[in-house]
Amino acid sequence: TTALDARDYRVIPISAPTDEERAHHFLCRFWHHLARVGRFTIFNRSWYGRVLVEYVENFISNDLYERSFDEINGFENSSRSPVVEIQLHIDKDEQAAQFEKRENIPFKSWKLTDEDWRIREKWDDYECAVDEMVLRTGTDDCLWTLVEAKSKRLARLKVICTLCERLEERLG
């Protein structure tokens, strides 16, 4: 974002929903962050947590899980702004290497928690959930781009190229 005019975008970090957010529809906390015309929003994590984290960690029922795919597709298709779906991917070995490296760098070690290691134990479950998410939420209007992220530089280039391509398609 360093090359962008800060007046034209917002980065929204998403974490676990608060008690107040849980009292509303799961998409409600995202609706008010959608950008107005001519601007854009970058979500760092998103509504896909519903069919990933909430599903794998058994925070939602199978009925809610199944319904969530249609709700997500409807939400994205009703947005006036183009939605660009990007999934950054590393393999299990690369994640282990990154965790171990981060653990040994004092100014970065705070980013790694016991929760990260606990979730890592469910790698296979999350991998299956990601596959299902991509299959069921990739539509003609909103295709997923899967980005190999072992190299941060190459991943960033792929993301930038994808955003440019999708915006050109949408703007004609």
Side-chain angles (χ1 to χ4, degrees):
T1 59
T2 56
L4 300 173
D5 185 333
R7 295 171 292 186
D8 293 335
Y9 74 92
R10 291 185 306 158
V11 176
I12 306 299
I14 300 296
S15 58
T18 64
D19 289 341
E20 182 179 345
E21 290 169 336
R22 275 192 214 94
H24 300 284
H25 189 277
F26 81 98
L27 290 169
C28 185
R29 67 187 184 134
F30 302 100
W31 288 328
H32 70 279
H33 290 298
L34 292 176
R36 66 179 200 230
V37 175
R39 307 278 200 266
F40 63 98
T41 304
I42 301 167
F43 288 98
N44 183 358
R45 306 288 191 276
S46 72
W47 44 89
Y48 297 107
R50 178 65 152 210
V51 294
L52 294 174
V53 178
E54 292 182 35
Y55 174 67
V56 172
E57 299 295 333
N58 295 313
F59 295 149
I60 60 171
S61 68
N62 283 337
D63 288 342
L64 281 177
Y65 170 74
E66 289 298 327
R67 190 172 76 206
S68 296
F69 290 106
D70 288 336
E71 292 173 342
I72 287 169
N73 288 333
F75 172 69
E76 292 175 347
N77 292 331
S78 67
S79 173
R80 293 184 315 181
S81 301
V83 175
V84 181
E85 299 173 320
I86 297 173
Q87 174 71 28
L88 302 176
H89 176 76
I90 57 173
D91 64 28
K92 196 173 185 177
D93 293 337
E94 178 63 22
Q95 186 191 53
Q98 287 182 11
F99 275 19
E100 289 167 12
K101 183 178 176 183
R102 179 165 282 169
E103 207 168 38
N104 295 314
I105 299 173
F107 66 91
K108 288 188 176 184
S109 62
W110 66 270
K111 294 181 178 184
L112 188 63
T113 67
D114 291 340
E115 183 71 358
D116 294 314
W117 289 105
R118 185 193 68 75
I119 290 170
R120 181 176 157 65
E121 295 298 317
K122 296 183 176 191
W123 180 277
D124 294 338
D125 295 333
Y126 275 98
E127 196 167 48
C128 288
V130 167
D131 289 347
E132 188 73 9
M133 173 192 74
V134 169
L135 284 172
R136 294 180 67 179
T137 61
T139 64
D140 290 340
D141 293 328
C142 199
L143 294 173
W144 277 96
T145 298
L146 306 177
V147 177
E148 169 56 50
K150 186 172 182 177
S151 164
K152 285 185 181 183
R153 183 177 181 276
L154 292 177
R156 287 176 180 149
L157 287 172
K158 176 75 173 186
V159 168
I160 290 168
C161 288
T162 298
L163 289 171
C164 290
E165 289 168 9
R166 296 286 164 76
L167 289 173
E168 284 177 7
E169 289 168 9
R170 183 71 182 253
L171 297 173

